[in-house]
Amino acid sequence: MNPFSSGTRLRDMIRSIRACKTAAEERAVVRKECAAIRAAISENDQDYRHRNLAKLMFIHMLGYPTHFGQMECLKSIASPGFPEKRIGYLGLMLLLDERQEVLMLVTNSIKQDLNHTNQYIVGLALCALGNICSAEMARDLAPEVERLLQFRDPNIRKKAALCTIRIIRKVPDLAENFINSAASLLKEKHHGVLLTGVQLCTDLCKISSEALEYFRKKCTEGVVKVLKDLANSPYAPEYDIAGITDPFLHIRLLKFLRVLGQGDVDTSDCMNDILAQVATKTESNKNAGNAILYECVATIMSIEDNGGLRVLAINILGRFLSNRDNNIRYVALNMLMRAITVDSQAVQRHRATILECVKLPIDSQDSDASIRKRALELVYLLVNESNVKPLTKELIDYLEVSEPEFRGDLTAKICSIVEKFSPEKIWYIDQMLKVLSEAGNYVKDDVWHALIVVITNASNLHGYAVRSLYRLVQTAGDQEILVRVAVWCIGEYGDMLVNNTGFLDMEEPITVTESDAVDVVETAIKRHSSDLTSRAMCLVALLKLSSRFPSCSVRINNIIVQYKGSLVLELQQRALEFGAIVDKHRNIRSTLVERMPVLDEATYSGRRAGSVPAVVSTSQGAPINLPNGVAKTTSAPLVDLLDLSSDDVPVPSSSGGDFLQDLLGVDLSPSSSQTDTNQAQKRGTDVLLDLLSIGTPPAQSNSSIPDMVSPSQDSKSAINVLEQLSSPSAPAGGVSTPPGSSSMMDLLDGFAPNPSKPENNGPAYPSIVAFESSTLKVTFNFSKQPGNQQTTIIEANFSNKTFDAYTDFIFQAAVPKFLQLHLDPASSNTLPASGNGSISQKLRITNSQHSKKSLVMRIRIGYKLNSKDMSEEGQINNFPHGL
Amino acid sequence: MGIRFILMVNKQGQTRLAQYYEYLTIEERRALEGEIVRKCLARTEQQCSFVEHRNYKIVYRRYASLFFLVGVDNEENELAILEFIHLLVETMDRHFGNVCELDIMFHLEKAHFMLEEMVMNGCIVETSKSNILGPIQLLEKAS
């Protein structure tokens, strides 16, 4: 006997490991033990092999490497006695890593043991094979296992059945060899064999369609009978759990029925009665019974349609939901989530109960965050047009009392529901304002941006919105996002706030003075927790108010002045610029701070959806409301009122051109980088022209506009231009001013009537065949909007060259970044056959590089032909020049 | 294959028994056990017994100072696994007589033998306690 390896007993080793205070101590003990075991292994010490293997298992469980013990396991397995084999097989299963050579070595031992006369040893070998067998072993040993499926002792048969599962998973080709013997297992009485036999059949069905067909035809009735006998069986003490005989077997059988019934009406019919019996008769006051009911519901929901059973199943889930046990609630919610795709009407009936699960109070003993989260998901799935109002009300009411950890999720879901299903704009605005005032800080940027877009589009609600916001800010002024929206609206519609314009009957009367309105903005800008975006928005609002409320002009100027020294460059710059406008340019100020043009909802939602900005598909397009308070129709997509968020990071070198764009809210497209001030200026000028729109188009033809500014003028800031523009007394075309800009000053100067020239719509452009395939033809007709040479209106006509009508017709287009594209809704989505009629659709395309680059467009057309999805794509390069 | 692993962990978070039915390296096991233990042991009595972790669903149950954690795939019936844990504990109770952490520690191999009679390759083999304990009693008689 080796004096070193005999060492400690297992018990002592465990004690000394437990006595370790630190991980380092433990490592030291383990290292010492491992060294002793290695020594024993190399000595080929047989007396302590059992003990050493037991130690290794413990060490392995603690997470230390033990691969050196694998060969000891093999030796142990090869020894004749049952106890040695027992520990050897256990060690093999635990310590084995994926090294194939060990498996190869053990294959032969297992084969011998499978043929052993001692059935316990056969059982051991089967168990090991079932746990570790590889594809090679599976092929080698499959005949033995197949034979053992008919072994006289049921304890061997059950293990052979599970072993077979492993074999057919590793080598699916072998599956058909086992179909018959698996089917015979279903006739057994022994629960273990039945349990494993049913499992084997289920797995066979998943692997082989042949097996599935076979079991459907030959075994469905048998399985139904087994389940019936089991459900009606008298008390069986060995298998009884809470008054139910072998719930595990119940569940296995129900799972098997599910596999058989799925996708086969006849088989499903066969099992209706027994499923109904299990669903109604099973005791539901204990976990075991509920486990069966749960499985039964899963089966009912998966097999082929039977309305009555489904109602039964959903009602069981409803009962589960009102159970006090959170485990039961959890599974019910999980299952309802799946059921909603099958039968959403039935799930709707339990809406109230589900809602209760969302609202479980945190301090009650029933509370479980994961349950509430799940319930919320489910409520979200249940919302539709008809129930959105009551559900949203419930959720918003709950928002007031919910605890902070849950508010983020809840807010996001409410916002999403409100946006998706709002029946009318006023309701949408109301709900969003409620959310903002309760949990504004959890609201994501795109959500409140969308709110602003909706408000601008609801021209009859401008006054209502601004008054509601004003009221809310008084009570919930700490909600930053709410304040932002309020400040924006007060800036835009401050006059409506004071004059009570557009007063709705349901509103409470409110008296707000001009100085009250300025107070709100002032409080917001001075609140120390306001961030840059809010403050910048406040400055813009102040500028706008200074023009709308002349009486507060001085006060506003004083507030703006305070930010001229701001350390934040963005604020400082805005303050300086706005200050200059207020001080020096009174005559154009009111025009400059005109109300924002209406934002285009379609463009905005397209952008939010994450698509390329220029891609707009007809399906997302809500018809654009025409603006009311706005003097003119600018090309809406150009304008992004929410520019603040697109440049949250202050751009230190922001040039005059940028400023102009900021001020006017022109979308800063990435293309107008700093290096391209020329272009930026041009754009600025363009917008200036637009904004100050004299009503008539510029006299010059469009191509001359760049000439006015760009060639002679270098990248001097546009504010210069502005200043010059706004001092009409300055000698026109002052000495230093290049001739180009003087002509522009003429244009703006004092809004003098322009020498009227006949309108020039530019040349007429020829129509083109934009796209033609064997099935489809697309033609484009062009026209220009008077006064806006950058924008081209395209009328696209689609005609069908085949003899079958197309349905669900959808036209999509994408353009490079220098272009902006807007698609109006198409005239129809059905295209009649053989050119008997066509679909027409208007596209508005704005070329920011007008006269430099010509139009180009990629298109995709999708439609259904005989309910088959078709799609065609193409690129259009043959646009006429000069568009 | 429903069951992916079975763990027994004491309330300090030390693993007392681990059986995996899919291959994970020793480092992966340590990491997984650590994550699961941290997640499950932090939960209160009122919270439900199911935790989703990575692509497993962990069903756990606490008996005195010992946690039984079973990792299953998404197809498995969670309530049945809860019942299975209870069956496992009852079986061990019958053998050890009111099983405790130390019984499992000092008789690790026996605990494994029992488990082997109950679960094979991730499937339940036998649910009758006397059938489960039969071979083990035989082994004890032999030695």
Side-chain angles (χ1 to χ4, degrees):
Chain A
M1 193 184 298
N2 186 310
F4 298 102
S5 67
S6 62
T8 46
R9 295 185 301 160
L10 172 65
R11 197 164 273 265
D12 296 330
M13 181 193 84
I14 295 176
R15 286 218 177 92
S16 57
I17 288 177
R18 290 186 76 206
C20 294
K21 296 270 185 303
T22 64
E25 276 179 47
E26 184 185 289
R27 276 199 294 276
V29 173
V30 169
R31 208 175 309 132
K32 208 169 123 230
E33 285 293 340
C34 284
I37 295 169
R38 278 172 195 267
I41 291 173
S42 58
E43 302 264 323
N44 204 4
D45 181 346
Q46 302 196 4
D47 302 333
Y48 289 102
R49 187 176 281 153
H50 186 284
R51 177 196 286 178
N52 285 341
L53 280 179
K55 280 185 187 172
L56 277 179
M57 283 174 213
F58 193 86
I59 291 170
H60 178 263
M61 184 191 70
L62 294 176
Y64 294 93
T66 49
H67 49 269
F68 53 86
Q70 287 168 2
M71 290 313 289
E72 281 302 276
C73 299
L74 293 191
K75 284 183 202 157
S76 212
I77 290 170
S79 56
F82 178 70
E84 291 79 20
K85 280 186 188 291
R86 173 75 273 201
I87 192 90
Y89 274 119
L90 179 62
L92 183 72
M93 285 179 263
L94 287 178
L95 307 186
L96 192 75
D97 53 30
E98 299 238 295
R99 290 196 305 172
Q100 292 300 315
E101 55 268 41
V102 180
L103 282 181
M104 242 163 58
L105 289 172
V106 83
T107 307
N108 209 30
S109 300
I110 291 184
K111 186 165 187 158
Q112 279 176 6
D113 286 345
L114 287 177
N115 293 309
H116 207 281
T117 47
N118 181 336
Q119 59 175 31
Y120 290 99
I121 290 177
V122 177
L124 274 183
L126 274 176
C127 186
L129 188 62
N131 279 337
I132 61 171
C133 123
S134 64
E136 290 78 30
M137 291 170 86
R139 277 185 223 281
D140 288 348
L141 300 175
E144 263 78 16
V145 177
E146 203 182 331
R147 182 174 55 76
L148 289 171
L149 280 173
Q150 274 119 43
F151 198 80
R152 62 192 144 74
D153 183 349
N155 287 317
I156 298 300
R157 292 202 295 274
K158 72 184 184 195
K159 287 183 181 172
L162 283 190
C163 202
T164 308
I165 294 180
R166 174 104 185 177
I167 289 174
I168 57 168
R169 282 220 190 111
K170 290 283 173 192
V171 190
D173 302 348
L174 293 173
E176 37 198 83
N177 301 354
F178 288 95
I179 295 177
N180 282 318
S181 29
S184 64
L185 294 179
L186 297 176
K187 301 189 183 86
E188 298 263 358
K189 288 280 172 273
H190 185 277
H191 281 232
V193 183
L194 263 179
L195 190 72
T196 52
V198 172
Q199 177 74 40
L200 171 58
C201 293
T202 313
D203 275 81
L204 277 168
C205 289
K206 284 181 188 161
I207 288 171
S208 140
S209 53
E210 190 190 330
L212 178 58
E213 273 314 303
Y214 180 86
F215 289 125
R216 262 185 193 154
K217 284 212 183 76
K218 309 259 169 157
C219 301
T220 309
E221 281 172 25
V223 176
V224 167
K225 186 172 180 310
V226 172
L227 182 55
K228 196 171 275 171
D229 291 347
L230 183 66
N232 299 328
S233 76
Y235 177 68
E238 229 354 83
Y239 293 98
D240 183 85
I241 294 176
I244 295 167
T245 306
D246 208 345
F248 300 101
L249 184 54
H250 269 99
I251 288 165
R252 242 343 118 56
L253 287 165
L254 287 166
K255 269 197 172 83
F256 187 38
L257 287 180
R258 176 152 83 233
V259 173
L260 293 179
Q262 215 160 17
D264 189 299
V265 180
D266 293 341
T267 317
S268 298
D269 277 348
C270 245
M271 57 187 77
N272 278 342
D273 290 346
I274 184 64
L275 291 179
Q277 189 198 330
V278 172
T280 45
K281 295 270 169 63
T282 308
E283 199 64 55
S284 68
N285 47 13
K286 286 276 169 42
N287 181 57
N290 285 328
I292 294 175
L293 285 173
Y294 175 46
E295 200 65 47
C296 189
V297 169
T299 299
I300 291 173
M301 298 313 288
S302 303
I303 64 168
E304 291 317 300
D305 195 35
N306 179 315
L309 274 183
R310 288 213 171 133
V311 171
L312 195 61
I314 303 263
N315 287 343
I316 290 175
L317 296 179
R319 271 211 319 275
F320 275 14
L321 276 187
S322 30
N323 199 305
R324 298 274 289 171
D325 185 347
N326 273 331
N327 291 338
I328 308 285
R329 281 189 185 139
Y330 175 97
V331 296
L333 289 170
N334 259 359
M335 189 58 76
L336 283 169
M337 205 92 89
R338 277 190 251 167
I340 209 166
T341 54
V342 182
D343 189 349
S344 88
Q345 274 312 307
V347 181
Q348 289 285 2
R349 281 201 293 278
H350 297 281
R351 212 169 54 217
T353 332
I354 298 167
L355 208 54
E356 285 311 306
C357 290
V358 177
K359 298 200 277 184
L360 292 176
I362 186 71
D363 49 341
S364 98
Q365 53 160 334
D366 297 344
S367 167
D368 182 339
S370 63
I371 303 259
R372 284 190 301 162
K373 225 173 153 166
R374 245 155 233 283
L376 181 61
E377 289 285 338
L378 195 52
V379 169
Y380 179 66
L381 294 177
L382 284 176
V383 177
N384 57 30
E385 283 80 4
S386 62
N387 61 22
V388 61
K389 282 192 174 182
L391 272 179
T392 310
K393 183 179 181 321
E394 292 267 10
L395 291 177
I396 290 181
D397 287 349
Y398 179 58
L399 190 59
E400 291 168 24
V401 292
S402 65
E403 65 274 19
E405 306 89 71
F406 194 45
R407 283 190 164 200
D409 284 337
L410 192 54
T411 311
K413 284 280 184 290
I414 296 176
C415 292
S416 167
I417 291 171
V418 171
E419 279 183 51
K420 218 156 117 195
F421 295 107
S422 84
E424 63 237 356
K425 285 190 170 164
I426 186 164
W427 184 83
Y428 170 87
I429 293 173
D430 279 344
Q431 305 312 310
M432 287 307 297
L433 295 191
K434 275 191 209 160
V435 172
L436 285 180
S437 55
E438 280 306 327
N441 296 340
Y442 297 97
V443 172
K444 300 254 177 347
D445 278 353
D446 55 344
V447 173
W448 65 268
H449 292 179
L451 172 63
I452 289 185
V453 173
V454 171
I455 292 179
T456 65
N457 276 290
S459 51
N460 52 335
L461 296 174
H462 287 166
Y464 173 74
V466 69
R467 282 188 294 276
S468 310
L469 279 161
Y470 177 82
R471 267 193 216 104
L472 286 173
V473 165
Q474 308 300 323
T475 53
D478 55 334
Q479 298 287 351
E480 178 143 13
I481 303 295
L482 176 75
V483 172
R484 278 188 203 170
V485 179
V487 162
W488 191 90
C489 286
I490 289 174
E492 292 297 314
Y493 314 118
D495 45 338
M496 298 180 151
L497 175 63
V498 176
N499 306 334
N500 275 333
T501 316
F503 195 81
L504 304 183
D505 294 339
M506 44 173 277
E507 279 186 79
E508 279 175 44
I510 180 174
T511 320
V512 185
T513 65
E514 296 186 346
S515 116
D516 289 340
V518 177
D519 280 345
V520 170
V521 185
E522 187 178 8
T523 319
I525 199 172
K526 291 197 168 146
R527 219 161 56 94
H528 72 276
S529 60
S530 294
D531 70 0
L532 171 62
T533 308
S534 306
R535 292 206 166 121
M537 289 180 77
C538 287
L539 282 174
V540 176
L542 286 170
L543 173 68
K544 296 209 164 189
L545 288 182
S546 76
S547 150
R548 270 155 226 180
F549 303 158
S551 66
C552 293
S553 186
V554 177
R555 180 178 163 207
I556 287 171
N557 206 14
N558 287 338
I559 304 172
I560 293 180
V561 163
Q562 291 169 18
Y563 287 86
K564 284 186 174 169
S566 170
L567 291 178
V568 183
L569 202 59
E570 176 74 21
L571 294 181
Q572 189 190 69
Q573 186 179 355
R574 278 181 199 243
L576 281 165
E577 290 163 350
F578 295 173
I581 293 173
V582 175
D583 281 346
K584 297 179 192 153
H585 308 296
R586 286 173 195 283
N587 51 341
I588 65 155
R589 187 179 62 193
S590 61
T591 339
L592 261 185
V593 301
E594 278 270 10
R595 212 163 272 160
M596 291 296 294
V598 171
L599 302 164
D600 182 2
E601 277 175 296
T603 316
Y604 185 70
S605 62
R607 198 175 310 169
R608 273 183 86 195
S611 53
V612 189
V615 180
V616 186
S617 96
T618 44
S619 59
Q620 340 174 285
I624 324 153
N625 290 354
L626 275 182
N628 82 327
V630 182
K632 45 178 268 325
T633 54
T634 38
S635 50
L638 239 187
V639 184
D640 182 4
L641 169 70
L642 305 164
D643 66 318
L644 279 172
S645 64
S646 66
D647 53 3
D648 264 343
V649 186
V651 186
S653 59
S654 116
S655 74
D658 275 349
F659 153 66
L660 253 183
Q661 291 183 333
D662 259 4
L663 177 69
L664 303 167
V666 177
D667 181 23
L668 284 179
S669 78
S671 64
S672 71
S673 65
Q674 293 304 313
T675 53
D676 200 6
T677 31
N678 251 359
Q679 193 216 333
Q681 261 189 11
K682 248 189 294 164
R683 291 243 247 139
T685 318
D686 220 45
V687 173
L688 245 187
L689 287 169
D690 268 0
L691 193 96
L692 304 177
S693 69
I694 326 287
T696 53
Q700 295 86 356
S701 86
N702 184 274
S703 58
S704 70
I705 286 188
D707 296 340
M708 291 197 302
V709 210
S710 52
S712 46
Q713 212 159 7
D714 53 20
S715 61
K716 278 281 172 281
S717 70
I719 193 163
N720 265 343
V721 181
L722 247 188
E723 282 188 19
Q724 292 168 356
L725 290 177
S726 55
S727 28
S729 58
V735 227
S736 64
T737 324
S741 58
S742 79
S743 76
M744 190 168 118
M745 283 175 56
D746 277 348
L747 192 74
L748 299 162
D749 201 3
F751 313 113
N754 268 322
S756 54
K757 281 187 186 175
E759 277 194 9
N760 179 8
N761 279 348
Y765 297 98
S767 302
I768 60 166
V769 175
F771 177 83
E772 183 156 20
S773 69
S774 56
T775 50
L776 199 70
K777 185 174 172 184
V778 184
T779 53
F780 280 3
N781 299 317
F782 304 96
S783 60
K784 284 277 184 192
Q785 232 170 13
N788 192 345
Q789 290 299 309
Q790 288 193 341
T791 302
T792 310
I793 295 166
I794 303 173
E795 192 187 327
N797 279 300
F798 307 94
S799 56
N800 181 348
K801 293 164 72 177
T802 67
F803 302 106
D804 298 293
Y806 299 158
T807 57
D808 295 343
F809 188 89
I810 183 166
F811 170 73
Q812 291 174 299
V815 292
K817 284 204 172 121
F818 69 90
L819 299 173
Q820 300 251 2
L821 173 67
H822 175 81
L823 275 77
D824 284 350
S827 60
S828 153
N829 65 356
T830 311
L831 194 52
S834 13
N836 291 330
S838 66
I839 296 180
S840 74
Q841 183 166 20
K842 267 207 177 127
L843 289 69
R844 205 149 15 105
I845 193 159
T846 304
N847 185 353
S848 64
Q849 306 259 39
H850 179 71
S851 80
K852 283 195 181 160
K853 293 190 179 175
S854 47
L855 300 185
V856 59
M857 184 185 287
R858 257 179 194 289
I859 60 167
R860 184 194 292 148
I861 295 162
Y863 52 88
K864 281 199 172 137
L865 175 58
N866 301 328
S867 73
K868 213 171 102 195
D869 279 320
M870 308 290 282
S871 144
E872 300 191 35
E873 291 183 37
Q875 179 154 347
I876 308 175
N877 295 318
N878 58 340
F879 284 100
H881 283 287
L883 283 177
Chain B
M1 188 168 90
I3 300 174
R4 310 284 200 88
F5 58 80
I6 297 173
L7 295 175
M8 298 180 199
V9 175
N10 70 8
K11 65 172 187 253
Q12 285 81 38
Q14 294 163 308
T15 309
R16 287 303 173 225
L17 182 145
Q19 175 73 60
Y20 287 81
Y21 298 98
E22 62 186 357
Y23 180 70
L24 291 177
T25 66
I26 221 148
E27 293 76 24
E28 286 167 338
R29 288 181 185 201
R30 281 190 99 147
L32 180 68
E33 286 169 26
E35 290 161 12
I36 291 174
V37 164
R38 269 193 298 282
K39 239 181 182 171
C40 295
L41 270 56
R43 288 168 69 88
T44 62
E45 298 258 344
Q46 288 79 40
Q47 286 180 295
C48 70
S49 312
F50 316 122
V51 181
E52 275 155 45
H53 182 74
R54 300 205 201 168
N55 48 350
Y56 302 111
K57 192 168 271 176
I58 319 286
V59 180
Y60 71 94
R61 208 161 168 168
R62 182 184 171 163
Y63 290 87
S65 67
L66 209 53
F67 286 84
F68 289 73
L69 307 120
V70 180
V72 298
D73 59 27
N74 264 323
E75 295 300 299
E76 200 58 45
N77 183 324
E78 298 93 338
L79 299 178
I81 296 295
L82 268 188
E83 207 53 60
F84 169 75
I85 295 178
H86 191 67
L87 179 70
L88 175 62
V89 173
E90 280 185 343
T91 310
M92 289 186 160
D93 269 348
R94 189 185 280 194
H95 185 76
F96 293 114
N98 212 356
V99 66
C100 70
E101 186 187 339
L102 292 183
D103 289 327
I104 293 171
M105 247 177 129
F106 289 117
H107 304 282
L108 186 61
E109 78 276 23
K110 268 187 209 146
H112 270 294
F113 293 158
M114 265 176 246
L115 206 51
E116 241 173 52
E117 292 295 328
M118 296 178 75
V119 183
M120 200 175 129
N121 194 26
C123 301
I124 298 174
V125 200
E126 181 58 73
T127 53
S128 145
K129 289 177 207 105
S130 47
N131 279 351
I132 295 166
L133 292 173
I136 292 145
Q137 281 152 357
L138 198 79
L139 190 70
E140 291 206 324
K141 258 181 242 161
S143 57

